[in-house]
Amino acid sequence: MWRLLREENKRKWLRLRRPALTEDQARKRFEWARRVQDYDSEKWTKIFWSDESTVEKGKGARREYTFNRPSTQIPLRDIDAVDCHKAKSQMFWAAFSGSGRRTGLIPLFGDPDSPHGGVNRWVILELYQRVLPTLLNGVNGAIFQQDNASVHTAHVVRDWLADQDFEIMAWPPYSPDLNPIENLWSLLKAKIYELHLDCDIARPWAFT
């Protein structure tokens, strides 16, 4: 059967994964698509796509191919060892646009005064106040994109953004697949794993 399928050029593919959307969420995605469908190439370059992601020490290696069949990989020790222990991690934020203007990796540290010591609305507000005016300065018609995480939609963040000169893109819920920066995180984590496998992730300058 395997040879027959190979001769017929038939292969199995992993199914793509997409968010399971409700009817209302799908409607909002459609409305977003209608709003941006007439953007020309120049307007697309003025969108600043942003996101945060957590990098964990020792994680991010790409799956490797082997010529050994699955039934022989364990006896031959031809496997990828997976560390089951919790490792140090660091959250980073970044943004880029088609105009070529972009940030570097900006580490986010939790607020020690918050109940869980995590990244909250005040951390995001301080980040935006420090970075966005410089990043978007001089870009006529700049559009800033962020997802609907609660730290982004908090009143203090929303009120500050409303006072800025740039436009805030209305973003549909549960739509990471629409944000091009999402495609970079896996590449980033793989590169960090390759170059800094043994670095101390608590020192963000080790990644510069």
Side-chain angles (χ1 to χ4, degrees):
M1 181 61 70
W2 180 79
R3 288 196 183 95
L4 177 61
L5 292 173
R6 187 184 181 100
E7 290 172 0
E8 294 293 327
N9 197 29
K10 301 290 185 182
R11 291 188 58 186
K12 290 191 301 183
W13 302 95
L14 290 174
R15 287 180 174 175
L16 294 175
R17 289 186 171 181
R18 291 293 184 269
L21 302 175
T22 65
E23 187 173 326
D24 181 61
Q25 292 163 354
R27 177 182 57 80
K28 291 179 178 178
R29 281 168 64 102
F30 181 70
E31 291 172 355
W32 176 85
R34 290 288 297 270
R35 287 194 298 270
V36 303
Q37 67 176 344
D38 294 327
Y39 283 13
D40 57 20
S41 58
E42 181 181 359
K43 190 160 187 176
W44 280 108
T45 65
K46 295 181 178 180
I47 301 175
F48 287 77
W49 307 93
S50 74
D51 192 28
E52 52 268 329
S53 183
T54 298
V55 177
E56 188 172 343
K57 184 178 180 181
K59 300 294 179 65
R62 296 184 185 182
R63 298 286 296 274
E64 295 185 3
Y65 289 94
T66 178
F67 289 104
N68 294 317
R69 294 178 181 275
S71 60
T72 64
Q73 290 176 23
I74 293 179
L76 294 174
R77 304 293 187 190
D78 188 14
I79 59 174
D80 287 330
V82 178
D83 188 356
C84 299
H85 298 88
K86 186 173 180 59
K88 292 181 180 179
S89 61
Q90 174 65 52
M91 180 177 287
F92 292 95
W93 181 89
F96 73 89
S97 72
S99 66
R101 303 188 74 165
R102 57 188 174 88
T103 69
L105 284 177
I106 300 176
L108 298 180
F109 300 100
D111 183 354
D113 296 327
S114 67
H116 301 288
V119 172
N120 59 17
R121 63 189 184 278
W122 301 109
V123 174
I124 295 299
L125 177 62
E126 188 278 331
L127 168 76
Y128 284 3
Q129 291 175 334
R130 175 165 48 93
V131 174
L132 295 187
T134 302
L135 179 65
L136 281 70
N137 184 36
V139 180
N140 186 30
I143 303 172
F144 178 66
Q145 179 277 335
Q146 62 173 1
D147 62 26
N148 296 303
S150 59
V151 293
H152 299 156
T153 58
H155 286 293
V156 291
V157 177
R158 212 165 44 187
D159 292 346
W160 183 82
L161 288 172
D163 291 336
Q164 306 311 303
D165 294 332
F166 48 83
E167 178 184 343
I168 309 301
M169 175 176 282
W171 192 249
Y174 301 102
S175 300
D177 53 311
L178 299 181
N179 188 351
I181 202 172
E182 293 283 352
N183 299 314
L184 299 180
W185 291 126
S186 60
L187 298 175
L188 166 69
K189 292 176 182 180
K191 197 64 178 177
I192 288 176
Y193 180 87
E194 174 188 338
L195 298 177
H196 302 283
L197 176 60
D198 298 322
C199 74
D200 183 355
I201 202 164
R203 295 166 48 232
W205 55 85
F207 294 105
T208 59

